[in-house]
Amino acid sequence: MKKDNMKKTLAVRCVAAAALGFAKGAVTIAPVYYVTGNHETALPQQQYEQLMEGLETAGVTVLANDAVTVAYHGEEITVVGLSDPASMAASRLSRLTDKEERYVILLAHRPDFFEEYAEGGADLVFSGHAHGGQFRLPFIGGLMAPDQGLFPKYDAGLYRDGNTSMVVSRGLGNSIIPFRINNRPEIILVELKAD
């Protein structure tokens, strides 16, 4: 094995181990639902399968173009997960929810498809991928994000389109550039309350 390939394989294993460790801790707090992002789909097949198996063994519900109904105190919501990439999101989402009357939470890695998520019937979208714009400029926001380029429209925070809200997390990791400026990593906590 070449030295560069060996370094890359070791780095992937370290990241996967950290992700699984986080997942094992998170499931002790609350149910955990997971969708893939571009970093997972770029893994070699064997490593991808090991990661998915590890997540499921830890008790994580992996949603790969799937929907589940979650009941809590007599109320039900639908949680939908779209696998990355999320192209044709509206049609995929519509097929999974079948225009349900329940509140629909969508987990989709890429925020740049927000209009499609809204068109597909999502009430609330949780997304990431933009890494907060990697470098944040005061009063302007993120400088650059994958698939959105310079000064991304959806870099971090809350966005609305009609009756759909989207929360974009800056996440914990980095993009191609291994550091951030004015852009602390984050885990977002959202509390849903019934009307």
Side-chain angles (χ1 to χ4, degrees), residues 11 33 42 45 49 68 74-75 77 84 98 102 138 142 158 167 169 175-176 183 188 195:
Y33 301 91
Q45 187 66 29
E49 290 171 2
V68 295
E75 299 293 329
I77 60 173
D84 191 64
D98 198 25
R102 284 192 286 266
L158 178 64
V167 177
S169 172
S175 190
I176 296 168
N183 182 21
I188 294 175
D195 290 335

Side-chain angles (χ1 to χ4, degrees), residues 62 67 100 103 161:
V62 176
E100 293 183 12
Y103 192 80
D161 182 347

Side-chain angles (χ1 to χ4, degrees), residues 56-79:
E56 290 173 353
T57 300
V60 172
T61 301
V62 176
L63 296 173
N65 299 319
D66 292 322
V68 295
T69 300
V70 178
Y72 185 74
H73 294 293
E75 299 293 329
E76 291 183 336
I77 60 173
T78 299
V79 178

Side-chain angles (χ1 to χ4, degrees), residues 7-148:
K7 282 182 184 178
K8 185 176 179 182
T9 300
L10 182 58
V12 167
R13 285 184 183 156
C14 289
V15 169
L20 289 174
F22 178 84
K24 288 175 184 176
V27 297
T28 65
I29 299 168
V32 175
Y33 301 91
Y34 179 92
V35 294
T36 59
N38 57 301
H39 294 280
E40 292 89 345
T41 57
L43 290 172
Q45 187 66 29
Q46 182 181 7
Q47 291 173 344
Y48 176 85
E49 290 171 2
Q50 288 172 343
L51 177 61
M52 294 303 112
E53 184 179 307
L55 288 167
E56 290 173 353
T57 300
V60 172
T61 301
V62 176
L63 296 173
N65 299 319
D66 292 322
V68 295
T69 300
V70 178
Y72 185 74
H73 294 293
E75 299 293 329
E76 291 183 336
I77 60 173
T78 299
V79 178
V80 177
L82 294 182
S83 295
D84 191 64
S87 61
M88 298 181 57
S91 62
R92 289 168 53 194
L93 179 57
S94 294
R95 275 184 265 134
L96 291 170
T97 61
D98 198 25
K99 302 294 181 191
E100 293 183 12
E101 295 299 317
R102 284 192 286 266
Y103 192 80
V104 175
I105 296 176
L106 171 63
L107 308 177
H109 186 64
R110 296 176 192 249
D112 38 307
F113 293 107
F114 183 37
E115 290 82 9
E116 290 186 50
Y117 304 151
E119 181 186 324
D123 294 297
L124 176 61
V125 180
F126 290 107
S127 192
H129 189 56
H131 301 275
Q134 200 69 35
F135 309 125
R136 296 189 68 77
L137 303 174
F139 310 109
I140 295 174
L143 181 61
M144 186 170 183
D147 301 311
Q148 294 185 72

